[in-house]
Amino acid sequence: MSYDNLAGRTAVVTGAASGIGEAVAVLLADRGARVALLARRGERLEAVAGKIRANGGQALAVVADVTDEASVADAADRIHAEYGPVDLVVNAAGVMLPHPVEDRRADEWRRMLDTNVAGVLRIIGAFTEDLVNAAADGRTADLVNISSIAAHVSFPNYAVYGATKAAVTYLSESLRGEFGPRDVRVTNIEPGFVESELRTHITDAELSQEVEGMLDAVGALSAEELADLVAYATSRPRRVNLRQIVALPTRQA
Ligand code: NDP
């Protein structure tokens, strides 16, 4: 059985400048959705949007910083002006900055909390009304949050990152209770290792080497494989809500 529930939809994808967000934006556009791409690097967004348009899709590059309330508000205004209300929101923007907690990297704690948790909330806040209205009009409405297996499995030195992802998983579960009765689906995705830029921001050389070693040992999913799961979940009939997807490389414990 296959469904095509993506054509004609209007999506917002954060973190669309690279990795999972980029792959999700490209695939949703390929399946017929109009996609607004959000991240901070305008050139990267334009390149992805250009690729989508070259393939006959519709894409809008919107520079935005999810840690900045005004920037998210401006982005939402621009999307509404160009595309009208949206019915599919994917929160993929995120950062992973590990350190032993006694290093007291308050700068990194703040950045992870503000991007991975408050940033997700800012985006949800900006588009909830659209999702609820779309569902009330009988259309399919989706909120997809990219959490992490780190929400459940603790890794030494990744305590704060894991805590931000546990918060995302909790938020997703809790929001299902608020949104489900109004026919808005909430899907929480917890990936294991995925090939992307995420680990390139690790500044501790030893921890960087450790993660490369783990990747060599178990491999990583491609961002496209993750995007395939997002497209699968959001293309089901509107009464089917895949609420939690845990996707690991087969060799990852
Ligand atoms: P990437 O680093 O490739 O992508 C992260 C994206 O987030 C980039 O496009 C970046 O663009 C954007 N971003 C970061 N900060 C901000 C900000 N303040 N405002 C707007 N956009 C921002 O990594 P992934 O694709 O791997 O990460 C996507 C999500 O998947 C993250 O939430 C991550 O935690 C999660 N995840 C990843 C796993 C992995 O192994 N890769 C495993 C489990 C979960 P820009 O810098 O231009 O803003």
Side-chain angles (χ1 to χ4, degrees):
M1 208 183 304
S2 83
Y3 301 101
D4 186 4
N5 202 4
L6 289 170
R9 297 190 57 188
T10 304
V12 173
V13 181
T14 72
S18 60
I20 296 170
E22 173 181 352
V24 167
V26 168
L27 185 56
L28 294 180
D30 188 56
R31 301 279 294 273
R34 301 192 292 183
V35 185
L37 299 90
L38 266 67
R40 293 165 302 176
R41 288 170 295 172
E43 269 177 33
R44 291 289 297 264
L45 290 179
E46 287 298 348
V48 180
K51 188 165 73 175
I52 290 172
R53 288 189 208 110
N55 288 334
Q58 295 182 75
L60 179 68
V62 183
V63 174
D65 183 341
V66 298
T67 69
D68 180 340
E69 187 78 41
S71 175
V72 171
D74 287 348
D77 285 349
R78 178 143 177 247
I79 293 163
H80 287 142
E82 302 258 356
Y83 279 173
V86 310
D87 53 42
L88 202 170
V89 175
V90 181
N91 273 307
V95 283
M96 179 183 79
L97 308 166
H99 264 122
V101 84
E102 67 264 30
D103 286 2
R104 300 168 75 177
R105 291 296 300 264
D107 56 332
E108 295 189 339
W109 301 345
R110 238 188 329 268
R111 207 172 133 207
M112 286 190 280
L113 288 162
D114 213 10
T115 310
N116 302 1
V117 184
V120 164
L121 278 170
R122 288 186 189 97
I123 293 293
I124 291 171
F127 296 106
T128 290
E129 194 181 335
D130 286 6
L131 294 175
V132 168
N133 288 343
D137 286 349
R139 290 184 284 125
T140 308
D142 282 292
L143 169 64
V144 179
N145 293 328
I146 310 296
S147 177
S148 167
I149 190 64
H152 295 293
V153 179
S154 64
F155 298 102
N157 306 314
Y158 288 75
V160 180
Y161 176 72
T164 66
K165 291 304 183 177
V168 172
T169 291
Y170 184 88
L171 266 175
S172 300
E173 183 55 33
S174 218
L175 288 177
R176 267 204 88 235
E178 290 187 36
F179 292 172
R182 287 180 282 173
D183 295 316
V184 177
R185 301 190 291 203
V186 182
T187 297
N188 190 62
I189 303 190
E190 296 185 349
F193 291 126
V194 179
E195 192 49 55
S196 77
E197 292 181 1
L198 195 72
R199 68 185 190 279
T200 65
H201 305 296
I202 300 176
T203 53
D204 181 308
E206 228 171 272
L207 292 179
S208 176
Q209 255 179 357
E210 180 188 79
V211 90
E212 296 303 330
M214 287 192 285
L215 276 168
D216 284 346
V218 302
L221 304 177
S222 69
E224 289 71 22
E225 284 161 344
L226 238 289
D228 180 52
L229 298 176
V230 174
Y232 182 82
T234 54
S235 59
R236 299 306 89 197
R238 73 195 287 260
R239 65 182 173 280
V240 180
N241 187 176
L242 279 161
R243 75 170 176 87
Q244 172 83 331
I245 299 173
V246 182
L248 305 178
T250 303
R251 286 172 177 247
Q252 185 174 351

